[in-house]
């Protein structure tokens, strides 16, 4: 995996954050099909990567506080487990418009990195089973591949079992 500089498909705050941190990552660009039913599954297919290594970024509210959940695209988010991971009582999915406004990204392209407002983040512990995982680079059709430890360090994330198969 090569360190990418800002001349790589730049233009997203996620790539800028990785570059600024001196992180090693790989950018994967693919042609996004707006008709595809799942952004994450589309990314996995386009990159030829197992859906278990491609993680989606979801924004939820836990006791009224916006919280980012990063889970494999092959599964779903366990809202109760997310609430438990942050010592909360109740979690629900955030309003998509609020998630977009707060993160600065559009739905289907929300990255856990480089968000407009840094939100507490929880990454599903299954990420640690892989040398690298892929997350949105901040735009539909653009992913970054990086070690899970890089993601958790740069987002100050908690690792917890928040995904369901």
């Amino acid at each position: 995996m090569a360190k990418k500089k800002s001349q790589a498909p730049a233009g997203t705050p996620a790539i800028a954050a990785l570059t600024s941190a001196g992180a090693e990552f790989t950018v994967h660009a693919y042609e996004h099909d707006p008709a595809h039913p799942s952004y994450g599954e589309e990314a996995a297919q386009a990159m030829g990567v197992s859906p278990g290594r491609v993680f989606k970024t979801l924004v939820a509210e836990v006791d009224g506080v916006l919280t980012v959940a990063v889970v494999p695209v092959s599964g779903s988010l366990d809202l109760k487990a997310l609430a438990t991971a942050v010592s909360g009582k109740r979690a629900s999915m955030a309003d998509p418009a609020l998630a977009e406004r707060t993160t600065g990204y559009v739905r289907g392209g929300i990255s856990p990195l480089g968000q407009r407002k840094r939100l507490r983040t929880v990454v599903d512990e299954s990420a640690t089973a892989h040398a690298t995982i892929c997350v949105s680079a901040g735009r539909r059709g653009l992913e970054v591949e990086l070690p899970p430890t890089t993601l958790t360090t740069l987002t100050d994330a908690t690792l917890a079992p928040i995904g369901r198969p």
Side-chain angles (χ1 to χ4, degrees):
M1 190 163 35
K3 188 184 284 189
K4 296 288 181 185
K5 300 290 181 210
S6 55
Q7 77 268 13
T12 73
I15 292 173
L18 287 163
T19 302
S20 172
E24 289 193 19
F25 63 98
T26 302
V27 175
H28 297 277
Y30 60 92
E31 190 65 37
H32 166 62
D33 175 5
H36 201 286
S38 167
Y39 297 121
E41 293 287 338
E42 175 190 31
Q45 290 169 2
M47 295 184 302
V49 174
S50 160
R53 281 190 48 224
V54 178
F55 283 65
K56 56 189 168 187
T57 306
L58 303 171
V59 181
E61 284 192 57
V62 179
D63 299 334
V65 178
L66 289 179
T67 304
V68 171
V70 183
V71 296
V73 301
S74 57
S76 61
L77 171 62
D78 182 336
L79 288 166
K80 188 172 219 162
L82 176 63
T84 300
V86 295
S87 302
K89 294 182 190 222
R90 205 174 130 230
S92 61
M93 294 307 297
D95 173 68
L98 177 61
E100 288 180 343
R101 255 191 333 272
T102 305
T103 64
Y105 294 116
V106 297
R107 190 167 170 231
I110 294 178
S111 177
L113 299 155
Q115 296 178 355
R116 181 177 292 149
K117 179 180 179 191
R118 188 172 181 158
L119 301 174
R120 68 180 170 185
T121 302
V122 181
V123 175
D124 186 66
E125 66 184 8
S126 68
T128 62
H130 308 285
T132 61
I133 60 170
C134 299
V135 296
S136 175
R139 186 168 55 221
R140 294 174 189 147
L142 197 62
E143 296 277 315
V144 289
E145 181 179 352
L146 70 171
T149 53
T150 299
L151 178 64
T152 57
T153 299
L154 293 179
T155 59
D156 196 25
T158 301
L159 281 169
I162 60 168
R164 280 193 293 229

